[in-house]
């Protein structure tokens, strides 16, 4: 029997080797993770707080240049242009260290370099990629405008071709059309990949990107280019975000990144993709790596916060239990376990789903043939995982801060920086709510429609007959999961709550039911010939819920698949227990729905809550093992309490013991003068 | 019939005057609120971002001194020492402006001044209060230690009386005993009210406070006093938090704040309160205003964030509806309404409960007779409202940031400062989880036990027979609420979901049931003679839940009571609708419990969700009115998008219209050259 089904509630082994758990976490890109751990094991990379904006930017730029020298940032580029040719090698390891550095790196190599690679053709690659890899050419990804962040198909910057001069006229018609929040723009960028409405022969061709120089060698903005600093942000102080406006800037024909749309010298436009919308979303689709990286990075930051909070919670004491001399360790309180352990289980679950997503991306982007449906599934998965990871990160880092009390609020304990930096991850690379709507749309259309066109709800053709079957395909370890589900007795009321098959079946059934409900509701409303916007808007919460339950289902399946890959029996037992916690906590969070729809009886619903409490108690002794398995090098932690709290608790305990033996408080001698010492 | 019962779902008046709603919000301290609005209506008070720590501290100190000159900070002190004699006049208005300033003010006048006032006697008052009011004597409230923040009865600093010199020996025995996170300590404080274990005649007397000079006129630390800067924090940069250690510092006998414990020259100790624990919690109880202020301040900060997010959501557009030329305003999306409107309703509900708490405090602290049970109820209410307000503030400000997208992350739009500053409000003046445990303990013991002694769970005597009756007393407008509840038909399945009586009865019934459940569970477990800590710990989630449902019940009742005070029929109708949203959203959030316990049928549970959606739609046109009623002066808002976004949207719309008429994009002329303009 597979290890992934060992959910009998047996006693866990007393000791589980963190290295065995780490091996499962490190997975297919173990070499990349270990490479970063070894190569970057130096405190010079660790986060710094209290800098002013200029100091922070200068330091992060310098670190990015140093990182380029290590080769870490080249891994994802093709070998022929000096890269490592490993598409799945993401930059999430840098996010363990410093999110400003991660974003700076993400802008330069992921977004700017990635766009040149994906949207450009051979002459762009040959000329630009080597300079991008070395950071000789720092660049921007200028897509978002002040007026359009989510609906980027409606960008207002124009790029009009003039056959007489064989140049484009790049122009910002009004303030809402300026490029905004653009990383690398305020200080370092020399070039920008600028997305604009392409117009040739008086005809709009939709959004296209060009590689446009914005600063000269002297660092000054080029003529016609206006650069405004976005200034202070909540966090990410080391990233120089800015605004770019173009006043009829002349751009040579060759600057157009023309893989998906070519302009001849006379202005004739051609493209392998006929539909303007289809073309745009194909272009966007090639940039999926950015979204994948942001989700992975948020996962790394969450692990740092959990590592700090769990280790502090294992050391810090407050309040005595009746009859005990020494105070209780925070993590021994159920309320504290309830805060941290389900979050830890969710981090594991999301990690494995993120790993599965990376494998999928590696396959799809690396494939020589184009499979449109598979590409859309990848985009959907990337969108869902980006939203799930970044929302979880924000919730969990805030929780960890609170779990560390006043110490958690001091910059010297790293959590404040993490909290301020991570906030915007729910917004950039796609607003999470909009992304979840994208996921929902994929589910509702069976990935048949122009995928990203969120405004086109009215055009959706419901392919409900095949919807449910489609969305349940393609998870890793599908056959194992199928077997587990089929082994569940038909009278599930009697099934053991820790039965993995029952948990899987429960989330699968919920997804099918919610999706069918939305399809029926929308179809019914559409029959009544009401206003299309109103029909969709009235159901928007229901629509978004389909995405939510879909993501939770495949995240659980990814956890199960990961345990199936685990070869160490002790690690496997521990991960199984943790997977129970993820599954049952997920069910508990939504118990209202399960009860509403008769999927749980009241008795069973209460049993779910009781089992979550039991699991917290069972897993509490392994909390440290589970964060140790993240294998975060000490050099990357800049957290005073982790060093200081154990010594403080020891010193206090020694003094308390001395007092109990009758010493006078506050005295250095041992004269027995006080009748009852404080603390008793 | 009372206006508070008008829940028929009738159409709301087209226009509701924000001033009429404001009148209900301003309530009993309208004069204080309007005084602050008028007196402080100057941009010099507005928050500033991007400062370094020294600049921020200097500016906030200077503003605090200026505020002292306005008389705002003296309002709560007795008339005979130069104060305004208005105990309920809190500092929450300052929290509309700047949370650093609010905390600085709270430390100087609320905590430091408040402790001298409440724990000192006439000679302390006469000597210190006038200098505190004027800020001639900046001071600290030195209670929390590095090792003890929640369990302050276990502080380790000692204060040992020496009759030979008639002085105390104030001493920090180890690092965990140093005072930490102390506001005003790192830069400005000249004196500190230091809490320490008092020892006289070789006998510990429990925690007492003394007024101890810490800096000389030159600003240098006095001999034996070590001051360490806590440095950068996540936010509240203008507040100089620091650490204080004492190396056998000699403190004169007269420095002891001796209202509740006196030491004679020969070291004889006397106190009007026999029990050491009782004495300590009586002292703490007098400091309840700090906790009340923190809750109120969090409410103000939340209103600022909601004001920004609602106004932005009313202007900002993204994605077109099918057939519409102009894009949809964000707040027209159900998902956006679902984010902001229940949060807005909750802010109103908490505001009214906070007002009720302030009235209660005004009465209890202003009373010449001591009513211990009423005092404990006040402390419980203050604890619950502090936790509810600060958690709501953190959730809502984060939500508002996300609802403003990338713009919300820029410091120029104020939300980042609010978010970073508000975080620690869940921790200081009592960790929220610990406070909720305090509330729960009050419920379980009927406020009979030594109230704050959280470690003494084992000693709790369950007075279950009288528990439920007790906790449901003493809400304002109780008789109205009773009438509404009694009017609910016995077959509640048929009752209109918007029936206020049904909503009230539902939350009251939940509270009774949860509380009875915990009492039975603990009593049953106690019968089995198991380990006392384990019994309580296993039920800790259940115990904390009693506090949660208790707070939600009286918050709803406060909302109903406030509507009953409203004299404007239009405002009353609007507030009634908003109250529906608060009540039903609260029920929806916990629908799992209601279904588990047969309080909602599945059909009715779904109807609750549908009604919340309807209410969002009905209230959406009044969102602006509801935030305008907060009456936040423009001078206090430092938010670029509120000024800029409307103009940007107008400019874009004009350009779009011009293009639709056939103009060439990017051209200043009007030549009709383009066949289809972008945006169509």
């Amino acid at each position: 029997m597979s290890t992934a089904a060992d959910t009998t509630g047996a006693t866990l082994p007393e000791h589980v080797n963190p290295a065995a758990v780490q091996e499962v976490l490190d997975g297919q890109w173990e070499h990349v993770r270990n490479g970063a751990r070894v190569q970057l094991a130096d405190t010079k990379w660790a986060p710094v707080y209290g800098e002013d904006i200029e100091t922070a930017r200068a330091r992060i730029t310098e670190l990015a240049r140093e990182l380029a020298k290590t080769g870490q940032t080249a891994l994802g580029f093709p070998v022929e242009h000096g890269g490592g040719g490993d598409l799945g090698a993401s930059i999430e390891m840098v996010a363990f260290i410093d999110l400003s550095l991660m974003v700076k790196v993400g802008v330069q190599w992921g977004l700017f370099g990635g766009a040149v690679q994906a949207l450009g053709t051979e002459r762009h690659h040959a000329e630009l990629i080597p300079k991008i890899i070395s950071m000789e050419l720092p660049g921007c990804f200028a897509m978002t405008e002040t007026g359009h962040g989510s609906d980027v198909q409606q960008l207002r910057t124009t790029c009009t071709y003039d056959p007489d001069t064989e140049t484009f006229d790049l122009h910002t018609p009004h303030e809402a059309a300026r490029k905004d929040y653009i990383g690398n723009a305020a200080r370092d960028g020399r070039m920008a990949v600028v997305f604009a409405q392409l117009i040739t022969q008086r005809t709009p061709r939709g959004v296209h990107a060009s590689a446009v120089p914005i600063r000269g060698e002297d660092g000054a903005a080029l003529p016609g280019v206006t650069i405004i600093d976005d200034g202070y942000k909540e966090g990410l102080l080391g990233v120089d975000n800015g605004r770019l406006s173009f006043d009829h800037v002349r751009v040579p024909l060759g600057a157009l990144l023309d893989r998906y749309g070519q302009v001849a010298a006379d202005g004739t436009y051609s493209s392998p993709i006929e539909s303007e919308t289809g073309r745009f979303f194909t272009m966007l689709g090639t940039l999926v790596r950015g979204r994948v990286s942001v989700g992975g990075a948020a996962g790394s930051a969450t692990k740092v916060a959990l590592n700090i909070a769990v280790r502090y919670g294992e050391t810090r004491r407050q309040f005595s239990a009746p009859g005990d001399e020494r105070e209780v360790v925070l993590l021994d309180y159920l309320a504290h376990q309830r805060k941290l352990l389900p979050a830890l289980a969710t981090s594991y679950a999301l990690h494995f789903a993120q790993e599965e997503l990376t494998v999928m991306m590696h396959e799809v982007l690396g494939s020589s043939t184009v499979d449109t449906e598979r590409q859309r599934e990848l985009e959907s998965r990337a969108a869902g995982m980006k939203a799930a990871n970044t929302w979880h990160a924000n919730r969990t880092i805030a929780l960890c801060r609170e779990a560390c009390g006043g110490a958690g609020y001091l910059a010297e304990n790293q959590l404040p920086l993490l909290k301020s930096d991570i906030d915007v991850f729910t917004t950039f690379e796609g607003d999470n709510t909009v992304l979840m709507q994208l996921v929902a749309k994929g589910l509702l259309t069976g990935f048949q429609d122009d995928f990203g066109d969120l405004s086109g709800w009215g055009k959706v053709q419901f392919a409900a007959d095949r919807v449910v079957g489609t969305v349940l395909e393609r998870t890793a370890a599908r056959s194992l999961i199928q077997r587990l589900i089929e082994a569940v007795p038909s009278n599930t009321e009697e099934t053991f709550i820790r039965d993995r098959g029952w948990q899987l079946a429960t989330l699968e059934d919920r997804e099918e039911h919610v999706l069918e409900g939305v399809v029926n509701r929308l179809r019914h409303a559409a029959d009544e010939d009401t206003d299309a916007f109103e029909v969709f808007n009235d159901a928007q919460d229901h629509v978004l819920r389909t995405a939510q339950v879909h993501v939770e289902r495949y995240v659980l399946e990814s956890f199960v698949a990961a345990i199936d890959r685990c070869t160490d029996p002790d690690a496997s037992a521990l991960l199984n227990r943790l997977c129970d916690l993820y599954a049952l906590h997920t069910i508990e969070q939504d118990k209202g729905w399960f009860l509403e729809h008769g999927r749980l009886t009241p008795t069973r619903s209460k049993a779910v809550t009781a089992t979550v409490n039991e699991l917290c108690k069972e897993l509490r002794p392994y909390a440290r093992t589970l964060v140790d398995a993240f294998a975060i090098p000490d050099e990357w932690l800049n957290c005073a309490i982790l060093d200081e709290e154990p010594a403080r608790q020891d010193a206090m305990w020694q003094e308390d013991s001395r007092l109990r033996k009758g010493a006078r408080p506050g005295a250095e001698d041992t004269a027995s003068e006080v009748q009852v010492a404080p603390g008793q």
Side-chain angles (χ1 to χ4, degrees), chain A residues 340-665:
Chain A
L340 297 180
L341 298 185
L344 185 56
T346 304
S347 274
Y348 266 77
L350 289 172
H351 175 99
F352 294 128
Q354 178 73 18
E355 169 91 358
E356 204 167 284
L357 168 64
T358 310
V359 172
M360 191 177 178
M361 178 182 79
H362 194 72
E363 288 169 10
V364 172
L365 298 187
S367 166
S368 52
T369 58
V370 177
D371 177 342
T372 312
E373 193 162 320
R374 186 99 176 115
Q375 169 76 29
R376 284 177 184 164
E377 279 180 34
L378 170 64
E379 287 167 43
S380 167
R381 194 63 77 103
M385 285 304 298
K386 187 272 187 183
N389 265 312
T390 59
W391 271 329
H392 174 66
N394 270 276
R395 273 191 305 266
T396 304
I397 292 170
L399 206 68
C400 290
R401 200 298 294 157
E402 204 175 314
C404 292
Y409 197 63
L410 299 185
E412 66 178 30
N413 293 321
Q414 198 161 350
L415 293 164
L417 207 61
L418 283 170
K419 186 157 183 255
S420 306
D421 287 350
I422 201 70
D423 186 359
V424 80
F425 279 58
T426 60
T427 298
F428 65 24
E429 281 288 329
D431 173 90
N432 279 4
T433 302
V434 176
L435 292 181
M436 290 301 264
Q437 194 149 305
L438 183 95
V439 174
K441 193 178 179 193
L443 298 174
L444 288 168
T445 61
F447 304 100
Q448 294 303 296
D449 199 14
D450 272 338
F451 189 53
D453 179 15
L454 294 169
S455 67
W457 282 113
K459 291 177 289 178
V460 168
Q461 300 296 319
F462 294 111
D465 296 342
R466 55 181 299 283
V467 162
V468 175
T470 305
V471 301
L472 291 179
E473 292 303 325
R474 315 234 191 208
T475 304
R478 184 72 208 158
S479 66
L480 163 65
I481 287 156
Q482 204 54 46
R483 268 187 287 119
L484 290 171
I485 288 175
E486 281 164 10
V488 179
S490 55
N491 182 0
T492 54
E493 179 64 18
E494 300 298 314
T495 314
F496 189 42
I497 276 180
R498 302 196 190 201
D499 185 295
R500 184 79 66 241
W502 175 76
Q503 296 160 2
L504 288 161
T506 298
L507 293 198
E508 184 176 299
D509 168 63
R510 178 180 61 158
E511 179 177 354
E512 289 180 10
H513 191 88
V514 170
L515 186 53
E516 280 170 7
V518 165
V519 168
N520 289 336
R521 182 173 167 185
L522 292 178
R523 188 184 273 147
H524 184 73
D527 287 349
E528 292 171 0
D529 200 26
T530 37
D531 177 67
F533 173 75
E534 206 165 322
V535 166
F536 278 96
N537 200 42
D538 286 350
Q540 199 183 16
D541 59 332
H542 200 165
V543 167
L544 288 169
R545 222 180 116 63
T546 63
Q548 178 70 27
V549 299
H550 172 69
V551 171
E552 285 174 359
R553 192 264 307 163
Y554 70 63
V555 169
L556 175 61
E557 293 186 359
S558 301
F559 204 149
V560 174
I563 298 172
D564 193 45
R565 294 194 296 272
C566 176
T567 52
D568 181 280
D570 293 347
S572 181
L574 178 58
L575 289 173
N576 258 315
R577 200 62 53 96
L578 197 66
C579 187
D580 277 335
L581 181 56
Y582 171 71
L584 294 178
H585 184 251
T586 301
I587 291 170
E588 185 191 29
Q589 295 283 94
D590 200 24
K591 67 181 178 182
W593 186 89
F594 289 107
L595 285 154
E596 254 178 12
H597 294 80
R599 264 58 179 183
L600 284 180
T601 60
T603 307
R604 203 164 165 81
S605 174
K606 289 176 192 167
V608 167
T609 295
T611 309
V612 168
N613 284 359
E614 281 167 21
L615 286 165
C616 284
K617 208 169 181 174
E618 291 164 21
L619 284 162
R620 186 259 169 273
Y622 305 90
R624 180 65 193 261
T625 302
L626 288 166
V627 296
D628 282 351
F630 295 148
I632 307 169
D634 284 342
E635 290 84 351
W636 299 352
L637 284 172
N638 203 348
C639 182
I641 42 169
L642 293 189
D643 302 325
E644 295 166 6
E645 189 66 19
R648 253 182 232 133
Q649 291 288 340
D650 285 349
M652 183 157 55
W653 179 235
Q654 279 164 27
E655 172 74 5
D656 287 355
S657 304
R658 208 171 69 87
L659 288 175
R660 251 189 311 277
K661 286 181 198 136
R664 190 163 64 91

Side-chain angles (χ1 to χ4, degrees), chain A residues 128-147:
Chain A
L128 299 175
I129 295 293
K131 290 191 222 169
I132 292 173
I133 289 179
S134 69
M135 211 173 153
E136 184 189 334
L137 181 68
C140 312
F141 180 82
M143 178 183 276
T144 296
E145 294 175 357
T146 304

Side-chain angles (χ1 to χ4, degrees), chain A residues 306-315 624 627-628 634 637 642:
Chain A
L306 282 167
N307 179 44
I308 292 170
V310 164
R311 288 168 63 183
Y312 184 66
E314 281 222 317
T315 314
R624 180 65 193 261
V627 296
D628 282 351
D634 284 342
L637 284 172
L642 293 189

